[in-house]
Every structure is written in structure tokens, then in C-alpha cells.
Amino acid sequence: DNPQALYQLGRYYQGQARYAQALDAYRQALSIEPRYVDALTGMGVTYARLGDHDTALRLLVAAASLDPGSALAQNNLGYIHGA
């Protein structure tokens, strides 16, 4: 029930290219804290790695809109725009 722990678990899975598990962990984090910018960003990056750039863009735009000062969200948003 800890969104930060679930986010870290998602990052762990993402680093191992276990994308289905990463997405599940990010979804669980967001079910607890729907405005969790880092989890939205993590999902966006994961979808980008899976080649689903439309979903990645939607998630990264949502993350950047929630926290325009988030360097993580802005950086990844810039990356997806360049892809």
C-alpha cells in the first residue's frame, strides 16, 4: 500500500526489461496515488520502450501537466517528441 515502494518496484522491473511487471507496479502505485508524477512517467517510458509512442506521449504529457517543474517528466517528454 506504499506508492513509493511500488514505483521503485516498477523501476526495478523496468531495468530488467520485465515491462509487464513494471507496468503492473506503476498501475498499483497510481491506484493508490493517481497524481503520482513519477509513476506516470515510468509508465510512459515503459510504453515508449515497448514501441507504443502514442500511449507514452499521453502519459508523459499528463505527468508534465501535473508537475511542470518535474525534470524527469520534462526530459522524457522531450525524448518522446524526438523519437
Side-chain angles (χ1 to χ4, degrees):
D1 293 344
N2 182 333
Q4 175 67 22
L6 290 163
Y7 166 73
Q8 291 300 328
L9 182 60
R11 297 262 318 190
Y12 171 77
Y13 286 138
Q14 185 179 348
Q16 293 188 330
R18 295 166 62 185
Y19 299 128
Q21 291 99 331
L23 290 172
D24 185 53
Y26 293 138
R27 282 187 192 101
Q28 288 180 49
L30 288 165
S31 73
I32 298 166
E33 180 55 54
R35 298 175 57 89
Y36 193 178
V37 171
D38 290 348
L40 283 169
T41 301
M43 283 187 77
V45 169
T46 302
Y47 276 108
R49 290 186 180 167
L50 290 169
D52 187 345
H53 294 283
D54 291 336
T55 301
L57 181 60
R58 180 179 53 80
L59 290 163
L60 293 168
V61 165
S65 295
L66 287 171
D67 185 1
S70 169
L72 181 66
Q74 294 294 340
N75 182 56
N76 285 298
L77 184 57
Y79 172 80
I80 197 72
H81 274 300

